[in-house]
Amino acid sequence: MDFDLQPILKGKLVELRPLRPQDFDALFSAASDPKIWEQHPESDRYQREVFQKFFDGALESKGAFAIIERKSGRIIGSSRYCNLTSREVEVGWTFLEREFWGGTYNRELKRLILDHAFRFVDRVVFVVGEQNFRSQKALAKIGATFLKKIQLPVDEGRMKTNVLFVITAKSYRVVGRSAQP
């Protein structure tokens, strides 16, 4: 069975569907709060021209989702699958509007993504900015564990330190399922 990187995933609170070019304005509106990006390695992503690069990369990845709040029907964030191998996939570039932080929306989002991923791979990795403590804390809540620090290139050839978290199918069945909303 082939891993579909852009299925439609539905929960009680959110629906994930493939990101489309016409989603730019709605997704930029969701992303235009500087507070969302303050701990992120690319902390100016709330600016339209910087966000345009992020959006174009998301479409090119062919694994990006629009996250839709089911109650209102509006786009409230994005996430994506990338770097798929036969045994693992990376989940990343995830953000939500601030009103959806810290609780049930993010847990349901991650549950939907992980439930789908673990039908095909043995582990899921998350690459997070070294100073992005909010995301690191959220990953710990769903049972992901710190693996190591890594250096990744950013604009103009500079390198940034990121942290790599991992969750395995086995640990997810034990910890992740108990973290459901």
Side-chain angles (χ1 to χ4, degrees), residues 24-178:
F24 179 83
D25 289 332
L27 191 58
F28 177 65
S29 178
S32 62
D33 178 353
K35 191 94 171 150
I36 292 172
W37 308 105
E38 72 181 356
Q39 293 183 8
H40 191 273
E42 205 168 332
S43 60
D44 58 351
R45 197 173 278 163
Y46 64 90
Q47 297 173 8
R48 188 175 192 87
E49 59 278 358
V50 177
F51 187 78
Q52 184 71 59
K53 290 179 196 171
F54 167 85
F55 187 81
D56 293 344
L59 291 175
E60 289 170 18
S61 78
K62 306 224 183 301
F65 294 99
I67 302 167
I68 300 161
E69 181 195 25
R70 293 195 65 189
K71 183 177 177 181
S72 67
R74 69 184 176 88
I75 294 176
I76 60 169
S78 182
S79 189
R80 70 177 100 152
Y81 291 118
C82 62
N83 300 322
L84 175 66
T85 69
S86 62
R87 301 203 56 214
E88 83 177 20
V89 69
E90 181 181 335
V91 170
W93 290 273
T94 305
F95 75 91
L96 291 169
E97 288 181 13
R98 274 198 292 159
E99 76 179 86
F100 301 101
W101 284 6
T104 56
Y105 282 83
N106 189 52
R107 276 195 307 273
E108 182 175 89
L109 159 68
K110 291 297 192 306
R111 181 183 55 79
L112 291 168
I113 285 176
L114 291 169
D115 283 354
H116 179 71
F118 286 131
R119 293 175 52 218
F120 305 98
V121 297
D122 297 327
R123 74 185 212 160
V124 173
V125 296
F126 303 86
V127 178
V128 180
E130 183 178 36
Q131 302 302 311
N132 191 341
F133 301 114
R134 278 192 299 263
S135 290
Q136 293 175 41
K137 184 178 177 183
L139 287 170
K141 283 182 180 179
I142 63 164
T145 57
F146 171 81
L147 186 61
K148 64 183 177 179
K149 290 186 179 186
I150 58 172
Q151 297 289 316
L152 292 174
V154 291
D155 288 337
E156 300 157 18
R158 295 178 298 126
M159 300 296 277
K160 271 284 204 203
T161 301
N162 289 270
V163 291
L164 187 68
F165 280 75
V166 65
I167 188 165
T168 64
K170 184 178 179 180
S171 67
Y172 178 65
R173 284 191 291 275
V174 173
V175 177
R177 302 300 293 177
S178 66

